[in-house]
Amino acid sequence: MQAHAASASHSRSRSRTLFLLALGSVGVVYGDIGTSPLYAFREALRPISQNGLVRTEVVGLISLMIWTLTVIVTIKYVLFLLRADNHGEGGTLSLLALLTKATKGRTALLFFLGAAGAALFIGDAMITPALSVLSAVEGAKLVTPTLADYVVPISVVILVAMFAVQSWGTAAVSKFFGPITAIWFIVMGLAGLNHISDDLGILAAFNPYYAIMFMYNEGYLGLVVLGAVFLTVTGAEALYADLGHFGRRPIQWAWFCLVFPALTLNYLGQGALVLAHPETIGNPFFLMFPKWALLPVVILATAATIIASQAVITGAFSLTRQAIHLGFLPRMEIYHTSETQTGQIYLPAVNTVLLFGVMLLVFLFGSSEALATAYGISVTGAMVVTTVLAFEFLRMRWRWTPLAAGAVLLPLFLLELTFLGANLLKVHDGGYVPVAIAAAVVLVMWTWTRGTRILREKTRRIEVPLPAFVKSVEKQGAHAPVQVSGTAIFLTSDPDFAPAALLHNIKHNHVLHERNFILTVRTANTPRVMPAERFSVEKISERFSCIEMRFGFMEMQNVSQALGLMRKAGHKFDIMSTSFYLGRRKLVPDAQSGMPMWQDRLFIGLANLATDPSDYFRLPTNRVVELGSHVVI
């Protein structure tokens, strides 16, 4: 009896945990895709309604939306990609890290794909807040037309406030994300269900025949419409990117039990409403609600769009941290905003860049209708990149043959290429914005990785192999540097060679500590590293040892904390008698360095903007000594 009761209690506990995680995922994972009904059907309907509405076109359009959600979100992301995880973490860069580990290095193609996917996500993180908040606030015009002139100012105030509180962290407010967004999905689903009876013929949209015939009959116009149809799956990348926060099962349960049914019902309801009342074509989403409910729905929609925006902003923070640890970007200040949730971080530099970009988009486009033309390219591009990486994942990790992997993914790849082509038709109408943003981010990543490689090659020419250096110091006898008490830790990226700071210290100060550690910090291709595997120590001589510290690409690289683990493991040294030596390079541009002069200057600018290593690695500020040198790059 007791065993049965314990088993039942454990089962209830697991069910409750699954429910809470699923509810949390509704707010964070599905916040973005949950705001698509605000504008997706309206924008898709616009091109085909110029000469009046045709029943088969409306039914075909809703069929396209439902089957886009089914094929791309349900099949690709929910059922397949959520299984392609890197120790529980998802996302483009997480998948890239997994593949580079399998290929024993970073190939040029994989780097480009990873950089492109990350860059497109950054573009999405700029456009989503602007488009979502504008579309929600525009609903206020239906409450009272006098607010029409205040849509942009109200949106700006909301967006500025949202970015201003990022440094506070999302730990407290995130508790409300799930319930509010769940209410939002329930309201959307009920509103759609209420209007399906306006024209029951809309239920024919479940038949994919109408979607296929729509594309066949519309020709070029069908491609234009397809670009707007893709707005229904914006935010689908968050399914994969936020895998590590909630796990596969909660995300899947939330999709099948709440999100997918609510979205489907809402789009069916909008279609039926437009068929029965063509005058509602201007804003079918908000016109599904009675007058008395408009203001509460606008407020709820605004809350939902803020949550959706918060989700992509947090995703941009996480993605940037991964890019830094993988060597795609220079070091930046990273702050943890929660003591229990490692994924809740704040990057001031990224926050500032996103705020500037979002404000520029709001003032440049001024309405969700205009901004919707700029959307889609970043999302479709990121999805195409993910599909290509998924092909490599099937081959390398699951050991599928290229033929089998191609047979599964080629139809999906061709479908997404079609969507990408449809969105590229909007380049001249504003689609150039995400392309320009992505190109700028890829350029920065390429310059940084290329510059750091050239810098490493140049400095290696003048470096001294560490074993030879230690051997020469130990043999100097009377000419050896003066030995002083205490411990010195020299940080270096390459433990095979003597750190520049160590060479400069002996050259200029003529001293050597009684204990010297050559410290290298490595980023593993896994999200996190177990404490037992955090460090390893290799003794070279009586006075010299090498330490290698390992951190996952989702972790804070806190050297002081790791040294505490070392002391607990029996490596005794007093932190107050330990000095940390860092080498600081002053970079000088050189047209013959291997990069054009403009790229040289960009790399130097990025290096100057990089966070100080003592802050990035969380070193004791009063124990750090920096020794500089000039390097022509």
Side-chain angles (χ1 to χ4, degrees):
M1 289 290 291
Q2 288 182 345
H4 179 73
S7 176
S9 176
H10 180 66
S11 178
R12 285 194 299 270
S13 177
R14 288 182 59 186
S15 299
R16 183 174 182 274
T17 301
L18 177 63
F19 172 77
L20 291 176
L21 286 172
L23 182 61
S25 72
V26 169
V28 176
V29 175
Y30 295 111
D32 192 2
I33 201 170
T35 58
S36 296
L38 286 167
Y39 47 80
F41 180 61
R42 181 192 71 198
E43 295 305 318
L45 201 58
R46 198 180 305 278
I48 62 172
S49 62
Q50 303 296 327
N51 301 317
L53 287 176
V54 179
R55 164 177 288 275
T56 54
E57 289 181 338
V58 175
V59 174
L61 184 56
I62 296 297
S63 183
L64 264 177
M65 290 180 155
I66 291 174
W67 283 99
T68 298
L69 285 169
T70 301
V71 174
I72 291 183
V73 182
T74 305
I75 296 176
K76 177 185 174 181
Y77 284 94
V78 176
L79 296 179
F80 168 57
L81 270 182
L82 289 184
R83 299 179 182 274
D85 66 295
N86 185 353
H87 293 268
E89 293 291 340
T92 303
L93 291 184
S94 203
L95 188 57
L96 176 65
L98 195 67
L99 296 176
T100 53
K101 180 168 58 177
T103 56
K104 306 299 182 185
R106 182 186 301 155
T107 66
L109 177 61
L110 286 178
F111 165 76
F112 174 76
L113 288 172
L120 289 164
F121 187 88
I122 295 296
D124 186 18
M126 286 186 183
I127 299 176
T128 292
L131 175 60
S132 298
V133 173
L134 275 171
S135 61
V137 176
E138 283 169 353
K141 294 188 293 187
L142 300 176
V143 179
T144 168
T146 57
L147 290 176
D149 296 333
Y150 299 96
V151 168
V152 170
I154 293 172
S155 300
V156 166
V157 170
I158 291 172
L159 288 166
V160 169
M162 183 173 63
F163 280 99
V165 300
Q166 290 301 312
S167 61
W168 297 0
T170 57
V173 71
S174 63
K175 295 177 182 177
F176 301 100
F177 281 8
I180 291 175
T181 313
I183 293 171
W184 169 248
F185 277 113
I186 291 169
V187 168
M188 281 199 303
L190 291 176
L193 184 62
N194 183 50
H195 282 280
I196 288 176
S197 59
D198 290 357
D199 193 319
L200 291 175
I202 198 66
L203 294 175
F206 282 115
N207 187 342
Y209 168 81
Y210 290 93
I212 296 169
M213 292 308 298
F214 177 88
M215 293 301 301
Y216 178 79
N217 293 327
E218 295 298 332
Y220 174 79
L221 187 62
L223 275 180
V224 175
V225 172
L226 204 59
V229 167
F230 203 80
L231 294 173
T232 58
V233 294
T234 57
E237 278 288 313
L239 281 169
Y240 191 34
D242 290 323
L243 173 60
H245 292 286
F246 300 99
R248 184 173 73 243
R249 287 189 65 209
I251 293 175
Q252 290 176 330
W253 275 88
W255 174 254
F256 287 113
C257 295
L258 176 62
V259 179
F260 192 26
L263 292 174
T264 303
L265 288 172
N266 190 266
Y267 286 126
L268 288 170
Q270 288 192 54
L273 176 68
V274 166
L275 285 176
H277 306 281
E279 68 277 8
T280 62
I281 192 172
N283 203 329
F285 179 85
F286 283 111
L287 291 174
M288 284 197 297
F289 299 93
K291 278 278 187 180
W292 61 266
L294 267 179
L295 184 58
V297 170
V298 168
I299 294 172
L300 182 60
T302 304
T305 56
I306 291 173
I307 292 170
S309 302
Q310 179 64 58
V312 293
I313 292 169
T314 303
F317 290 160
S318 298
L319 182 140
T320 304
R321 177 173 65 174
Q322 293 181 32
I324 292 169
H325 289 172
L326 292 172
F328 288 3
L329 291 173
R331 292 184 299 267
M332 300 180 196
E333 281 286 357
I334 301 174
Y335 298 100
H336 276 276
T337 58
S338 171
E339 295 181 0
T340 56
Q341 300 296 321
T342 58
Q344 293 185 7
I345 55 175
Y346 169 65
L347 283 78
V350 176
N351 195 59
T352 302
V353 170
L354 290 179
L355 173 61
F356 176 79
V358 169
M359 289 297 103
L360 187 63
L361 290 172
V362 169
F363 287 117
L364 189 63
F365 289 90
S367 70
S368 64
E369 178 185 341
L371 190 55
T373 61
Y375 213 23
I377 293 179
S378 57
V379 181
T380 49
M383 286 184 175
V384 168
V385 167
T386 305
T387 301
V388 175
L389 291 177
F391 174 78
E392 292 297 311
F393 175 86
L394 288 177
R395 288 197 316 110
M396 295 178 185
R397 304 295 296 186
W398 287 3
R399 305 299 181 188
W400 285 27
T401 64
L403 186 62
V408 170
L409 292 178
L410 185 59
L412 191 61
F413 179 70
L414 293 176
L415 176 63
E416 289 175 345
L417 274 185
T418 304
F419 276 116
L420 180 59
N423 279 283
L424 287 174
L425 295 175
K426 302 187 292 184
V427 166
H428 63 286
D429 288 328
Y432 60 87
V433 172
V435 174
I437 293 171
V441 176
V442 169
L443 178 63
V444 167
M445 289 183 174
W446 175 51
T447 299
W448 182 253
T449 52
R450 188 182 183 191
T452 50
R453 178 179 54 80
I454 292 173
L455 180 61
R456 185 165 53 250
E457 291 172 353
K458 287 202 168 191
T459 54
R460 183 164 291 179
R461 295 171 192 167
I462 58 173
E463 288 177 335
V464 180
L466 183 60
F469 169 79
V470 172
K471 191 174 181 180
S472 67
V473 168
E474 299 291 355
K475 283 186 175 181
Q476 285 182 4
H479 300 288
V482 176
Q483 180 170 301
V484 295
S485 61
T487 302
I489 296 180
F490 298 89
L491 271 74
T492 180
S493 60
D494 192 345
D496 294 332
F497 296 88
L502 173 58
L503 298 175
H504 287 306
N505 189 43
I506 292 178
K507 179 180 178 180
H508 297 290
N509 298 326
H510 310 290
V511 297
L512 192 65
H513 287 71
E514 60 181 341
R515 286 194 301 172
N516 301 273
F517 290 96
I518 311 303
L519 172 61
T520 306
V521 179
R522 303 285 191 199
T523 300
N525 282 323
T526 54
R528 292 173 182 81
V529 172
M530 298 295 290
E533 301 172 356
R534 178 71 69 206
F535 65 88
S536 59
V537 181
E538 179 187 354
K539 191 171 183 179
I540 302 174
S541 69
E542 288 300 317
R543 288 191 291 181
F544 286 90
S545 298
C546 283
I547 305 173
E548 182 177 292
M549 290 185 179
R550 293 172 287 274
F551 297 89
F553 59 79
M554 291 290 290
E555 292 182 298
M556 177 74 71
Q557 298 188 344
N558 192 323
V559 169
S560 295
Q561 194 176 71
L563 288 173
L565 290 176
M566 283 185 60
R567 289 198 299 276
K568 289 180 181 178
H571 299 275
K572 296 181 179 178
F573 56 88
D574 182 11
I575 195 70
M576 296 312 296
S577 64
T578 299
S579 298
F580 295 84
Y581 286 84
L582 303 176
R584 179 176 289 275
R585 300 186 181 104
K586 180 175 176 58
L587 304 178
V588 181
D590 177 18
Q592 309 302 319
S593 69
M595 290 196 299
M597 184 61 75
W598 66 266
Q599 201 168 23
D600 266 346
R601 296 191 181 279
L602 175 58
F603 175 72
I604 292 172
L606 292 171
N608 291 335
L609 290 173
T611 301
D612 189 276
S614 60
D615 295 329
Y616 184 79
F617 293 114
R618 299 299 188 265
L619 304 178
T621 53
N622 59 341
R623 308 300 306 170
V624 176
V625 179
E626 293 188 354
L627 298 170
S629 61
H630 279 63
V631 179
V632 177
I633 179 72

